[in-house]
Structure formats: C-alpha cells, structure tokens
Amino acid sequence: MNRVKDLKNFLDEKVNEFNRPEFIETDPIQVPKYFTVKEDIEIAGFLTATISWGNRAAIIKNALRLMALLDNQPHDFIINASEHEINSLSRFVHRTFNGDDCIYFIHTLRNIYINYGGLQKVFESGYQEDETIKSALTHFYKIFFEPTGERTRKHISNVEKGASAKRLNMYLRWMAREDKSGVDFGLWKSIPNSALLLPLDVHTGNVGRKLGLLQRKSNDWKAVEEITSSLRQFDANDPVKYDFALFGLGVFEKF
C-alpha cells in the first residue's frame, strides 16, 4: 500500500512539473494551438497527430508546413478546395506519409464533415456504442476508410488488429481531456477523462515497465489497457494525466 501511495505522489509531482504551458513549446500540440475556431483546431490536431512520429522538431515543422498548404484555414480548405488545390498537396511528405496519403486524408475528411457532422461526431458516436475508447476508434476507422484508400490504411491504427493507436489516443487526449493547466483542449464533452487511454509509445512503455505499471512486453492494445488500468488506481477520473509524467520521465529525464 505504501508503495502505491509513494508512486502516486511521485507521479503526481511529475504531472505538475510537465503538465503546464511550457510543455507546449516542444510538443506537436502547439500546432492546433495556433487556431481558435473549433473545426480548425480539431482538424489541425488530427493531421498533426497523424504525422507525430520521429523527431519532434521535424513533426512540428512539417505540420506547420501542411497547415500553410491548407491556407491556414484547414476546415475551409477541406470543405471548399477545388480538386486542383487538393492535388497541390501531392508535394507534401513526412517520412512515409506522402502526397497521395495527404490527398486521401483531405477527401475523407470532407466526407466526414459533410456527411457525418465532423470528427467530433464520428468519435463520439463510436464511443456511445458501448462507452469505450475502443468502440470510438473502431467506428472511426470504419468511417475514415469508407472511401477506399488501401495505401493509406497504414497511417490510421486498427485497434481490431491489436494496434496500440498511440497517435489516435494522443489526439483524443488533446480534444477530450479537460485540462485546467491549459495544455489539452477539452473541446469534446461527451468523452469523459475517465474513459481516455494512455497514448502508449516507446518512452511511456519503458518507463511504465520500470515503475511496475506494465508487465506486457509488446506495446500493443492489450498493453494500453493494462497500463491505463494501473494508472486508474492513482486517479480513476483522469488516468491519462500521467501521460505527462511518463513521457516527461522518458524523454526529458532519460529515466
């Protein structure tokens, strides 16, 4: 019992240390922070989260470049851009995410905003099926690939096949988590903090194992559920706030 209390106190200290506006300065969440219109925030956040792997400075640079290609009005571009304007995105590249993927994303986001009421409604309607993030992500995957896009499937995690969905869980943290410190947006009110799952990556996984929060060796969906369950013993209402602690320990403190 003392170990649990001590670990909670340690992680709470790290949350307070890293879950603050200064965190934004080196994090991809800064990209959607440039926008004020809800739809622009959620689209910029989604596209930024999608390319959030590799060097963080490169992620931010390329995400900002992508926003510029969308005339820094992502929602207006998605709804109103001509095919010629959309095809101009063919020159965008971030690692294995290329122009073809980018063009597909714009077309399917147009489908989502015109026919399904937007990203929020798609994720929230999926969540409401059985009030789990897994159902939200499963529903989103189905809708996102309603237009065929086989090449692009590798850029959206399929939790039905056991993927950890790190970037999608991070995106949901950004959009849904109520955060008084001013980091996460808390725009989507129908998905509670308590339901969110840890965006598991190499850093949070390794730190979680060192702290005894995760036994599973693979960073897959079962590991996401396991480590989030461990974190709920410290705060059942907001387990993913510890993402800041685990990530900060791994990336900034080389724990």
Side-chain angles (χ1 to χ4, degrees):
M1 180 62 73
N2 283 339
R3 182 191 175 279
V4 172
K5 185 177 179 180
D6 290 345
L7 186 51
K8 172 179 165 51
N9 290 339
F10 172 68
L11 291 176
D12 284 341
E13 286 178 13
K14 292 301 175 183
V15 171
N16 292 333
E17 184 177 339
F18 295 114
N19 185 21
R20 55 178 61 205
E22 290 82 358
F23 179 85
I24 297 168
E25 295 171 6
T26 60
D27 195 80
I29 199 174
Q30 69 176 259
V31 176
K33 290 283 182 180
Y34 285 109
F35 299 93
T36 55
V37 176
K38 173 185 170 292
E39 290 79 10
D40 286 339
I41 292 169
E42 60 192 19
I43 293 167
F46 175 69
L47 293 173
T48 300
T50 296
I51 65 168
S52 286
W53 83 99
N55 179 275
R56 298 169 88 213
I59 292 165
I60 294 165
K61 178 183 176 182
N62 286 332
L64 290 172
R65 186 163 67 89
L66 179 54
M67 294 305 108
L69 290 171
L70 303 180
D71 300 327
N72 288 311
Q73 295 180 299
H75 181 247
D76 181 73
F77 188 96
I78 280 164
I79 299 300
N80 297 312
S82 67
E83 281 304 306
H84 176 73
E85 289 170 319
I86 293 172
N87 287 334
S88 71
L89 299 171
S90 62
R91 63 183 184 271
F92 181 80
V93 177
H94 175 77
R95 297 175 71 102
T96 63
F97 186 92
N98 68 13
D100 289 341
D101 300 313
C102 196
I103 289 167
Y104 178 84
F105 266 59
I106 299 307
H107 281 138
T108 198
L109 284 170
R110 178 175 286 183
N111 177 50
I112 283 171
Y113 275 88
I114 290 175
N115 297 314
Y116 290 95
L119 283 164
Q120 178 179 3
K121 285 198 173 178
V122 171
F123 278 104
E124 289 184 347
S125 62
Y127 173 76
Q128 288 158 7
E129 287 179 10
D130 65 10
E131 297 194 336
T132 66
I133 296 302
K134 186 172 186 178
S135 67
L137 297 181
T138 300
H139 181 68
F140 172 73
Y141 187 89
K142 174 185 171 186
I143 299 300
F144 196 82
F145 291 107
E146 195 172 61
T148 56
E150 291 306 314
R151 191 212 120 75
T152 303
R153 284 185 185 270
K154 65 184 178 182
H155 294 296
I156 299 290
S157 296
N158 185 353
V159 296
E160 291 289 289
K161 293 187 176 180
S164 68
K166 177 256 181 177
R167 286 168 284 166
L168 288 174
N169 278 319
M170 180 179 72
Y171 177 62
L172 287 176
R173 198 205 83 205
W174 290 357
M175 293 299 110
R177 181 174 174 264
E178 292 280 358
D179 178 27
K180 292 177 182 176
S181 76
V183 179
D184 294 324
F185 288 93
L187 288 174
W188 298 355
K189 306 299 184 184
S190 295
I191 299 176
N193 288 1
S194 59
L196 296 171
L197 298 175
L198 186 80
L200 182 67
D201 63 10
V202 171
H203 305 291
T204 54
N206 288 344
V207 174
R209 291 182 185 93
K210 287 177 182 177
L211 294 175
L213 301 171
L214 177 62
Q215 303 302 317
R216 190 170 177 83
K217 291 181 170 58
S218 301
N219 287 336
D220 57 9
W221 185 256
K222 288 183 178 179
V224 171
E225 293 181 323
E226 180 189 336
I227 195 168
T228 306
S229 178
S230 294
L231 295 171
R232 286 196 176 108
Q233 68 183 317
F234 306 135
D235 190 339
N237 293 320
D238 189 15
V240 300
K241 74 181 185 186
Y242 295 108
D243 184 29
F244 293 99
L246 300 181
F247 186 81
L249 283 165
V251 172
F252 301 122
E253 299 189 6
K254 312 299 181 189
F255 182 82

